[in-house]
Coordinates of all heavy atoms in Angstrom, one line a residue:
R35 N 0.8 -1.2 0.0 CA 0.0 0.0 0.0 C 0.9 1.2 0.0 O 1.8 1.3 0.8 CB -0.9 -0.1 1.2 CG -1.8 1.1 1.3 CD -2.6 1.0 2.6 NE -2.1 1.9 3.6 CZ -2.8 2.6 4.4 NH1 -4.1 2.3 4.5 NH2 -2.3 3.4 5.2
T36 N 0.6 2.2 -0.9 CA 1.3 3.4 -0.9 C 0.4 4.6 -0.4 O -0.8 4.5 -0.4 CB 1.8 3.8 -2.3 OG1 0.6 3.9 -3.2 CG2 2.7 2.7 -2.9
E37 N 1.1 5.6 0.1 CA 0.4 6.7 0.7 C 1.2 8.0 0.3 O 2.4 8.1 0.4 CB 0.4 6.6 2.2 CG -0.2 7.7 2.9 CD -0.1 7.5 4.4 OE1 0.1 6.4 4.9 OE2 -0.3 8.6 5.1
S38 N 0.4 8.9 -0.3 CA 1.1 10.2 -0.7 C 1.3 11.0 0.6 O 0.5 11.1 1.5 CB 0.1 11.0 -1.6 OG 0.0 10.4 -2.8
L39 N 2.5 11.6 0.7 CA 2.8 12.5 1.8 C 2.2 13.8 1.6 O 2.2 14.4 0.5 CB 4.4 12.6 1.9 CG 5.1 11.3 2.2 CD1 6.6 11.6 2.3 CD2 4.7 10.7 3.6
R40 N 1.7 14.3 2.7 CA 1.0 15.6 2.7 C 1.4 16.4 3.9 O 1.9 15.8 4.9 CB -0.5 15.5 2.7 CG -1.0 14.9 1.4 CD -2.6 15.0 1.4 NE -3.1 14.6 0.1 CZ -3.5 13.4 -0.3 NH1 -3.4 12.4 0.6 NH2 -3.9 13.2 -1.5
G41 N 1.3 17.7 3.9 CA 1.5 18.6 5.0 C 2.9 18.5 5.6 O 3.9 18.6 4.9
V42 N 2.9 18.3 7.0 CA 4.2 18.3 7.7 C 5.1 17.2 7.2 O 6.3 17.4 7.0 CB 3.9 18.1 9.2 CG1 5.2 17.9 10.0 CG2 3.2 19.3 9.7
R43 N 4.6 16.0 6.9 CA 5.4 14.9 6.5 C 6.0 15.1 5.1 O 7.2 14.8 4.9 CB 4.6 13.6 6.5 CG 4.3 13.1 7.9 CD 3.7 11.7 7.8 NE 3.4 11.2 9.1 CZ 4.2 10.5 9.9 NH1 5.4 10.2 9.4 NH2 3.9 10.1 11.1
R44 N 5.3 15.8 4.2 CA 5.8 16.1 2.9 C 6.9 17.2 3.0 O 8.0 17.1 2.4 CB 4.7 16.6 2.0 CG 5.1 16.9 0.6 CD 4.0 17.5 -0.2 NE 4.4 17.4 -1.6 CZ 3.8 16.6 -2.5 NH1 2.8 15.8 -2.2 NH2 4.2 16.6 -3.8
A45 N 6.7 18.2 3.9 CA 7.7 19.2 4.1 C 9.0 18.6 4.7 O 10.1 19.0 4.3 CB 7.1 20.3 5.0
M46 N 8.8 17.7 5.7 CA 9.9 17.0 6.3 C 10.7 16.2 5.3 O 11.9 16.3 5.2 CB 9.4 16.1 7.4 CG 10.5 15.3 8.1 SD 9.9 14.0 9.2 CE 9.0 13.0 8.1
A47 N 10.0 15.5 4.5 CA 10.7 14.6 3.4 C 11.5 15.5 2.5 O 12.6 15.2 2.1 CB 9.7 13.8 2.7
N48 N 10.9 16.6 2.0 CA 11.6 17.5 1.1 C 12.8 18.1 1.8 O 13.9 18.2 1.1 CB 10.6 18.6 0.6 CG 9.6 18.1 -0.4 OD1 9.8 17.2 -1.1 ND2 8.5 18.8 -0.4
A49 N 12.7 18.6 3.0 CA 13.8 19.2 3.7 C 14.9 18.2 3.9 O 16.1 18.5 3.7 CB 13.4 19.8 5.0
M50 N 14.6 17.0 4.3 CA 15.6 15.9 4.5 C 16.3 15.5 3.2 O 17.5 15.3 3.2 CB 15.0 14.7 5.2 CG 14.6 15.1 6.7 SD 13.8 13.7 7.5 CE 15.2 12.6 7.8
S51 N 15.5 15.5 2.1 CA 16.1 15.1 0.8 C 17.1 16.2 0.4 O 18.2 15.9 -0.1 CB 15.0 15.0 -0.2 OG 14.2 13.8 0.0
Q52 N 16.7 17.5 0.6 CA 17.6 18.6 0.2 C 18.8 18.6 1.0 O 19.9 18.7 0.5 CB 16.9 19.9 0.4 CG 17.7 21.1 0.0 CD 17.0 22.4 0.2 OE1 15.9 22.5 0.6 NE2 17.7 23.5 -0.1
S53 N 18.7 18.3 2.3 CA 19.9 18.3 3.2 C 20.8 17.1 2.8 O 22.0 17.3 2.8 CB 19.4 18.1 4.7 OG 18.8 19.2 5.1
H54 N 20.2 16.0 2.5 CA 21.0 14.8 2.1 C 21.8 15.1 0.8 O 22.9 14.7 0.7 CB 20.1 13.6 1.9 CG 20.9 12.4 1.5 ND1 21.7 11.7 2.4 CD2 21.0 11.7 0.3 CE1 22.2 10.7 1.8 NE2 21.8 10.7 0.5
A55 N 21.2 15.9 -0.1 CA 21.8 16.2 -1.4 C 22.9 17.3 -1.2 O 23.9 17.3 -2.0 CB 20.8 16.7 -2.4
E56 N 22.8 18.2 -0.2 CA 23.7 19.3 -0.2 C 24.7 19.3 1.0 O 25.6 20.1 1.0 CB 22.8 20.6 0.0 CG 22.0 20.9 -1.3 CD 21.2 22.1 -1.2 OE1 21.3 22.8 -0.1 OE2 20.4 22.4 -2.1
V57 N 24.5 18.5 2.0 CA 25.3 18.5 3.2 C 26.1 17.2 3.3 O 25.6 16.1 3.1 CB 24.5 18.7 4.5 CG1 25.3 18.6 5.7 CG2 23.6 20.0 4.4
V58 N 27.4 17.4 3.5 CA 28.3 16.3 3.6 C 28.1 15.7 5.0 O 28.2 16.4 6.0 CB 29.8 16.7 3.4 CG1 30.7 15.5 3.7 CG2 30.0 17.3 2.0
P59 N 27.8 14.4 5.1 CA 27.6 13.8 6.4 C 29.0 13.7 7.2 O 30.0 13.3 6.6 CB 27.1 12.4 6.1 CG 27.4 12.1 4.7 CD 27.6 13.4 4.0
V60 N 28.9 14.2 8.4 CA 30.1 14.2 9.2 C 29.8 13.7 10.6 O 28.7 14.0 11.1 CB 30.7 15.6 9.3 CG1 31.9 15.7 10.3 CG2 31.1 16.1 8.0
T61 N 30.7 12.9 11.2 CA 30.5 12.5 12.6 C 31.7 12.9 13.4 O 32.9 12.6 13.0 CB 30.3 11.0 12.7 OG1 29.2 10.6 11.9 CG2 30.2 10.5 14.1
L62 N 31.5 13.7 14.4 CA 32.6 14.0 15.3 C 32.4 13.3 16.7 O 31.3 13.3 17.2 CB 32.6 15.6 15.6 CG 32.7 16.5 14.4 CD1 32.5 17.9 14.8 CD2 34.1 16.3 13.8
M63 N 33.5 12.7 17.1 CA 33.4 12.0 18.4 C 34.5 12.4 19.3 O 35.6 12.7 18.9 CB 33.5 10.5 18.2 CG 32.4 10.0 17.3 SD 32.6 8.2 16.9 CE 31.9 7.5 18.4
D64 N 34.1 12.5 20.6 CA 35.1 12.9 21.6 C 34.6 12.4 23.0 O 33.4 12.1 23.1 CB 35.3 14.4 21.7 CG 36.6 14.8 22.3 OD1 37.3 13.9 22.9 OD2 37.0 16.0 22.2
D65 N 35.5 12.2 23.9 CA 35.1 11.8 25.3 C 34.8 13.1 26.1 O 35.5 14.1 25.9 CB 36.2 11.0 25.9 CG 36.4 9.7 25.2 OD1 35.4 9.1 24.7 OD2 37.5 9.2 25.1
A66 N 33.9 12.9 27.0 CA 33.6 14.0 28.0 C 33.4 13.4 29.4 O 32.8 12.4 29.5 CB 32.3 14.8 27.5
D67 N 34.0 14.1 30.3 CA 33.9 13.7 31.7 C 32.7 14.4 32.3 O 32.7 15.6 32.5 CB 35.1 14.0 32.5 CG 35.0 13.6 34.0 OD1 34.0 13.0 34.4 OD2 36.0 13.9 34.7
I68 N 31.6 13.7 32.6 CA 30.4 14.3 33.0 C 30.1 14.1 34.5 O 29.0 14.3 35.0 CB 29.2 13.8 32.2 CG1 29.0 12.3 32.3 CG2 29.3 14.2 30.7 CD1 27.7 11.8 31.7
Q69 N 31.2 13.6 35.2 CA 31.0 13.3 36.6 C 30.7 14.5 37.5 O 30.0 14.4 38.5 CB 32.3 12.7 37.2 CG 32.7 11.3 36.5 CD 31.6 10.3 36.7 OE1 31.1 10.1 37.8 NE2 31.3 9.6 35.6
A70 N 31.1 15.7 37.1 CA 30.9 16.9 37.9 C 29.5 17.5 37.6 O 29.1 18.4 38.3 CB 32.0 17.9 37.6
W71 N 28.8 17.0 36.7 CA 27.4 17.6 36.4 C 26.5 17.3 37.6 O 26.5 16.2 38.1 CB 26.9 17.0 35.1 CG 27.5 17.7 33.9 CD1 28.4 18.7 33.8 CD2 27.3 17.3 32.5 NE1 28.8 19.0 32.5 CE2 28.1 18.1 31.7 CE3 26.5 16.3 31.9 CZ2 28.1 18.0 30.3 CZ3 26.5 16.2 30.5 CH2 27.3 17.1 29.8
P72 N 25.7 18.2 37.9 CA 24.7 18.0 39.0 C 23.8 16.9 38.7 O 23.3 16.7 37.6 CB 24.0 19.3 39.2 CG 24.7 20.3 38.3 CD 25.5 19.6 37.3
K73 N 23.5 16.1 39.7 CA 22.5 15.0 39.6 C 21.1 15.6 39.3 O 20.8 16.7 39.8 CB 22.4 14.2 40.9 CG 23.7 13.5 41.2 CD 23.8 12.2 40.5 CE 25.1 11.5 41.0 NZ 25.7 10.7 40.0
G74 N 20.3 14.9 38.6 CA 18.9 15.4 38.3 C 18.8 16.4 37.1 O 17.7 16.8 36.8
T75 N 19.9 16.8 36.6 CA 19.9 17.7 35.4 C 19.5 16.9 34.2 O 20.0 15.8 34.0 CB 21.3 18.4 35.2 OG1 21.7 19.0 36.4 CG2 21.2 19.4 34.1
D76 N 18.7 17.5 33.4 CA 18.2 16.8 32.1 C 19.4 16.6 31.2 O 20.2 17.5 31.0 CB 17.2 17.7 31.5 CG 16.6 17.1 30.2 OD1 16.3 15.9 30.2 OD2 16.6 17.8 29.2
I77 N 19.5 15.3 30.7 CA 20.6 15.0 29.8 C 20.6 15.8 28.5 O 21.7 16.2 28.0 CB 20.6 13.5 29.5 CG1 21.9 13.1 28.7 CG2 19.4 13.1 28.7 CD1 23.1 13.2 29.5
T78 N 19.5 16.2 28.0 CA 19.4 17.0 26.8 C 20.0 18.4 27.1 O 20.8 18.9 26.3 CB 17.9 17.2 26.3 OG1 17.4 15.9 26.1 CG2 17.9 18.0 25.1
A79 N 19.7 19.0 28.2 CA 20.3 20.3 28.6 C 21.8 20.2 28.7 O 22.5 21.1 28.3 CB 19.7 20.8 29.9
R80 N 22.3 19.1 29.3 CA 23.7 18.9 29.5 C 24.4 18.8 28.1 O 25.4 19.4 27.9 CB 24.0 17.6 30.2 CG 23.6 17.6 31.7 CD 23.8 16.2 32.3 NE 23.4 16.2 33.6 CZ 23.6 15.2 34.4 NH1 24.2 14.1 34.0 NH2 23.2 15.2 35.7
V81 N 23.8 18.0 27.2 CA 24.4 17.9 25.9 C 24.4 19.2 25.1 O 25.4 19.6 24.5 CB 23.7 16.8 25.1 CG1 24.1 16.8 23.6 CG2 23.9 15.4 25.7
L82 N 23.3 19.9 25.2 CA 23.2 21.2 24.5 C 24.3 22.2 25.1 O 25.0 22.9 24.3 CB 21.8 21.9 24.7 CG 20.7 21.2 23.9 CD1 19.4 21.8 24.3 CD2 21.0 21.2 22.4
R83 N 24.5 22.2 26.4 CA 25.5 23.1 27.0 C 26.9 22.7 26.4 O 27.8 23.5 26.2 CB 25.5 23.1 28.5 CG 24.4 23.9 29.0 CD 24.6 24.2 30.5 NE 24.5 23.0 31.3 CZ 23.5 22.5 32.0 NH1 22.4 23.2 32.1 NH2 23.6 21.4 32.7
A84 N 27.1 21.4 26.3 CA 28.4 20.9 25.8 C 28.7 21.3 24.4 O 29.8 21.7 24.0 CB 28.5 19.4 26.0
I85 N 27.6 21.2 23.6 CA 27.7 21.6 22.2 C 28.0 23.1 22.1 O 28.8 23.5 21.3 CB 26.4 21.2 21.4 CG1 26.3 19.7 21.3 CG2 26.4 21.9 20.0 CD1 25.0 19.2 20.8
V86 N 27.3 23.9 22.8 CA 27.5 25.4 22.8 C 29.0 25.7 23.2 O 29.7 26.5 22.6 CB 26.5 26.1 23.7 CG1 26.9 27.6 24.0 CG2 25.1 26.0 23.2
H87 N 29.5 25.0 24.3 CA 30.8 25.2 24.7 C 31.8 24.8 23.6 O 32.8 25.6 23.3 CB 31.1 24.4 25.9 CG 32.6 24.5 26.4 ND1 33.1 25.6 27.0 CD2 33.6 23.6 26.3 CE1 34.4 25.5 27.3 NE2 34.7 24.3 26.8
A88 N 31.6 23.7 22.9 CA 32.4 23.3 21.8 C 32.4 24.3 20.7 O 33.5 24.6 20.1 CB 32.0 21.9 21.3
C89 N 31.3 24.8 20.4 CA 31.2 25.9 19.3 C 31.9 27.1 19.7 O 32.5 27.8 18.8 CB 29.7 26.2 19.0 SG 28.8 24.9 18.1
R90 N 32.0 27.5 20.9 CA 32.7 28.6 21.4 C 34.2 28.4 21.3 O 35.0 29.3 20.9 CB 32.3 29.0 22.8 CG 31.0 29.7 22.8 CD 30.7 30.2 24.2 NE 29.4 30.8 24.2 CZ 28.4 30.6 25.1 NH1 28.6 29.8 26.2 NH2 27.3 31.2 25.0
V91 N 34.6 27.2 21.6 CA 36.1 26.8 21.6 C 36.6 26.6 20.2 O 37.7 27.0 19.8 CB 36.3 25.5 22.4 CG1 37.7 25.0 22.2 CG2 36.0 25.8 23.9
E92 N 35.7 26.0 19.3 CA 36.1 25.8 17.9 C 35.0 26.4 17.0 O 34.0 25.7 16.7 CB 36.2 24.3 17.7 CG 36.6 23.9 16.3 CD 37.9 24.7 15.8 OE1 38.9 24.5 16.4 OE2 37.8 25.5 14.9
P93 N 35.2 27.6 16.6 CA 34.2 28.3 15.8 C 33.8 27.6 14.5 O 32.7 27.9 13.9 CB 34.8 29.7 15.5 CG 35.8 29.9 16.7 CD 36.3 28.5 17.0
A94 N 34.7 26.8 13.9 CA 34.4 26.1 12.7 C 33.2 25.2 12.9 O 32.6 24.8 11.9 CB 35.6 25.3 12.2
L95 N 32.9 24.8 14.1 CA 31.7 23.9 14.3 C 30.4 24.7 14.2 O 29.3 24.1 14.0 CB 31.7 23.3 15.7 CG 32.9 22.3 16.0 CD1 32.9 22.0 17.5 CD2 32.7 21.1 15.1
N96 N 30.5 26.0 14.2 CA 29.3 26.9 14.1 C 29.4 27.7 12.8 O 29.6 28.9 12.9 CB 29.2 27.8 15.4 CG 27.9 28.6 15.4 OD1 26.9 28.1 15.0 ND2 28.0 29.8 15.9
A97 N 29.4 27.0 11.7 CA 29.6 27.7 10.4 C 28.7 27.1 9.4 O 28.1 26.1 9.5 CB 31.1 27.5 10.0
H98 N 28.6 27.8 8.3 CA 27.8 27.4 7.1 C 28.7 27.5 5.9 O 29.5 28.4 5.7 CB 26.7 28.4 6.9 CG 25.9 28.2 5.7 ND1 25.0 27.2 5.5 CD2 25.9 28.8 4.5 CE1 24.5 27.2 4.3 NE2 25.1 28.2 3.6
F99 N 28.7 26.4 5.1 CA 29.4 26.4 3.8 C 28.5 26.7 2.7 O 27.5 26.0 2.5 CB 30.1 25.0 3.6 CG 30.8 24.8 2.3 CD1 31.9 25.5 2.1 CD2 30.3 24.0 1.3 CE1 32.6 25.4 0.9 CE2 30.9 23.8 0.1 CZ 32.1 24.6 -0.1
D100 N 28.9 27.7 1.9 CA 28.1 28.0 0.7 C 28.8 27.4 -0.5 O 29.8 27.8 -1.0 CB 28.1 29.6 0.5 CG 27.4 30.1 -0.7 OD1 27.0 29.3 -1.6 OD2 27.1 31.3 -0.7
K101 N 28.1 26.3 -1.0 CA 28.7 25.6 -2.1 C 28.7 26.4 -3.4 O 29.6 26.1 -4.3 CB 27.9 24.3 -2.3 CG 26.5 24.5 -2.9 CD 25.9 23.1 -3.2 CE 24.5 23.4 -3.8 NZ 24.0 22.3 -4.5
N102 N 27.9 27.3 -3.6 CA 27.8 28.1 -4.9 C 29.0 29.1 -4.9 O 29.6 29.3 -6.0 CB 26.5 28.8 -5.0 CG 25.3 27.9 -5.1 OD1 25.5 26.8 -5.8 ND2 24.2 28.2 -4.5
N103 N 29.4 29.7 -3.8 CA 30.4 30.7 -3.8 C 31.7 30.1 -3.2 O 32.7 30.9 -3.1 CB 30.0 31.9 -3.0 CG 28.8 32.6 -3.7 OD1 28.8 32.8 -4.9 ND2 27.8 32.9 -3.0
L104 N 31.7 28.9 -2.7 CA 32.9 28.3 -2.1 C 33.4 29.2 -0.9 O 34.5 29.6 -0.9 CB 34.0 28.0 -3.0 CG 33.6 26.9 -4.1 CD1 34.8 26.8 -5.1 CD2 33.3 25.6 -3.5
E105 N 32.4 29.5 0.0 CA 32.7 30.3 1.1 C 32.2 29.7 2.4 O 31.3 29.0 2.4 CB 32.0 31.7 1.0 CG 32.5 32.5 -0.2 CD 31.7 33.8 -0.3 OE1 30.5 33.9 0.2 OE2 32.2 34.7 -0.9
I106 N 32.9 30.0 3.5 CA 32.5 29.5 4.8 C 32.2 30.8 5.6 O 32.9 31.7 5.7 CB 33.6 28.8 5.5 CG1 33.9 27.5 4.8 CG2 33.2 28.5 7.0 CD1 35.1 26.7 5.3
T107 N 31.0 30.7 6.2 CA 30.6 31.8 7.1 C 30.5 31.3 8.5 O 29.8 30.3 8.8 CB 29.2 32.3 6.8 OG1 29.2 32.8 5.4 CG2 28.7 33.5 7.7
R108 N 31.3 31.9 9.4 CA 31.3 31.5 10.8 C 30.4 32.5 11.6 O 30.5 33.7 11.4 CB 32.7 31.5 11.4 CG 33.6 30.4 10.8 CD 35.0 30.4 11.4 NE 35.8 29.2 10.9 CZ 36.4 29.2 9.8 NH1 36.4 30.3 9.0 NH2 37.1 28.1 9.4
F109 N 29.6 31.9 12.4 CA 28.6 32.8 13.1 C 29.0 33.0 14.6 O 29.6 32.1 15.3 CB 27.3 32.1 13.2 CG 26.7 31.8 11.8 CD1 26.9 30.6 11.2 CD2 26.1 32.8 11.0 CE1 26.4 30.3 9.9 CE2 25.7 32.6 9.7 CZ 25.8 31.3 9.2
G110 N 28.8 34.2 15.1 CA 29.1 34.6 16.5 C 28.0 34.0 17.4 O 28.3 33.6 18.5
E111 N 26.8 34.1 16.9 CA 25.6 33.6 17.7 C 25.5 32.1 17.5 O 25.6 31.7 16.4 CB 24.4 34.4 17.3 CG 23.2 34.1 18.1 CD 22.0 35.0 17.7 OE1 22.1 36.2 18.0 OE2 21.1 34.5 17.1
I112 N 25.1 31.4 18.5 CA 25.0 30.0 18.4 C 23.5 29.7 18.6 O 22.9 30.0 19.6 CB 25.8 29.2 19.5 CG1 27.3 29.5 19.3 CG2 25.5 27.7 19.5 CD1 28.1 29.1 20.5
N113 N 22.9 29.0 17.5 CA 21.5 28.6 17.5 C 21.5 27.1 17.3 O 22.1 26.6 16.4 CB 20.7 29.3 16.4 CG 20.7 30.8 16.6 OD1 20.1 31.3 17.6 ND2 21.3 31.5 15.8
I114 N 20.7 26.4 18.2 CA 20.6 25.0 18.1 C 19.2 24.6 17.9 O 18.3 25.1 18.6 CB 21.2 24.3 19.3 CG1 22.7 24.6 19.5 CG2 21.0 22.8 19.3 CD1 23.3 24.0 20.7
G115 N 18.9 23.6 17.0 CA 17.6 23.1 16.8 C 17.6 21.6 17.2 O 18.5 20.9 17.1
I116 N 16.5 21.2 17.8 CA 16.3 19.8 18.2 C 15.1 19.2 17.4 O 14.0 19.8 17.4 CB 16.0 19.7 19.7 CG1 17.2 20.3 20.5 CG2 15.8 18.3 20.1 CD1 17.0 20.4 22.0
A117 N 15.3 18.1 16.8 CA 14.2 17.4 16.1 C 13.5 16.5 17.1 O 14.1 15.8 17.9 CB 14.8 16.7 14.9
M118 N 12.2 16.5 17.0 CA 11.4 15.6 17.8 C 10.4 14.8 16.9 O 9.8 15.5 16.1 CB 10.7 16.4 18.9 CG 11.6 17.1 19.8 SD 10.7 18.1 21.0 CE 9.8 16.9 21.9
D119 N 10.3 13.6 17.1 CA 9.4 12.7 16.4 C 8.0 12.8 17.0 O 7.9 12.9 18.2 CB 9.8 11.3 16.3 CG 9.1 10.5 15.3 OD1 8.4 11.1 14.4 OD2 9.1 9.2 15.4
S120 N 7.0 12.9 16.2 CA 5.6 12.9 16.7 C 4.8 12.1 15.7 O 5.2 11.6 14.7 CB 5.0 14.3 16.7 OG 4.7 14.8 15.4
K121 N 3.5 11.8 16.1 CA 2.6 11.0 15.2 C 2.4 11.7 13.9 O 2.1 11.1 12.9 CB 1.3 10.7 15.9 CG 0.5 11.9 16.2 CD -0.8 11.5 16.9 CE -1.6 12.7 17.3 NZ -2.2 13.5 16.3
D122 N 2.6 13.1 13.8 CA 2.4 13.8 12.6 C 3.7 14.0 11.8 O 3.7 14.6 10.7 CB 1.9 15.2 12.9 CG 0.5 15.1 13.5 OD1 -0.3 14.3 13.0 OD2 0.2 15.9 14.4
G123 N 4.8 13.5 12.3 CA 6.1 13.7 11.6 C 7.2 14.3 12.5 O 7.0 14.5 13.7
L124 N 8.3 14.6 11.9 CA 9.4 15.1 12.6 C 9.4 16.6 12.7 O 9.1 17.3 11.6 CB 10.7 14.7 11.8 CG 12.1 14.8 12.5 CD1 12.1 14.0 13.7 CD2 13.2 14.5 11.5
F125 N 9.5 17.1 13.8 CA 9.5 18.6 14.0 C 10.8 19.1 14.6 O 11.4 18.4 15.4 CB 8.3 19.0 15.0 CG 7.0 18.9 14.4 CD1 6.2 17.8 14.5 CD2 6.5 20.0 13.8 CE1 5.0 17.7 14.0 CE2 5.2 20.0 13.2 CZ 4.4 18.8 13.3

């Protein structure tokens, strides 16, 4: 059975296809000592703080590559998005 994508799911599929075609997949791995983090702190908040810190230490992590002009733009402001799955699709 096939089903045409509509609405949010269609927009999500288009955005993911475009990203897949234009963005080189990269995986960065490192170890982090999290023993000093306070108990009961949400793991997502901890990871976000670590990412923000990494972007401040290494500005190349907070950059955009323009394939048409072969330019890299590094940003001073750090903005992070989190994807969440729902019954209506990925937000």
Side-chain angles (χ1 to χ4, degrees):
R35 182 182 104 144
T36 61
E37 176 183 343
S38 294
L39 296 177
R40 292 189 169 94
V42 172
R43 288 188 180 271
R44 184 183 195 112
M46 175 190 65
N48 286 333
M50 290 178 75
S51 293
Q52 181 181 359
S53 291
H54 181 73
E56 295 180 2
V57 177
V58 176
V60 174
T61 301
L62 300 173
M63 299 177 80
D64 203 347
D65 294 325
D67 181 1
I68 62 171
Q69 297 300 317
W71 284 354
K73 299 275 187 215
T75 305
D76 179 47
I77 187 68
T78 304
R80 291 177 181 184
V81 170
L82 290 174
R83 282 195 298 259
I85 292 169
V86 168
H87 177 74
C89 288
R90 287 186 178 133
V91 171
E92 183 51 64
L95 294 173
N96 188 34
H98 172 79
F99 175 68
D100 180 346
K101 69 175 184 162
N102 296 324
N103 297 312
L104 297 176
E105 296 176 337
I106 295 174
T107 303
R108 289 181 177 85
F109 301 100
E111 187 174 287
I112 299 168
N113 296 294
I114 297 177
I116 299 174
M118 297 177 64
D119 192 19
S120 76
K121 63 181 176 66
D122 295 320
L124 192 63
F125 286 89

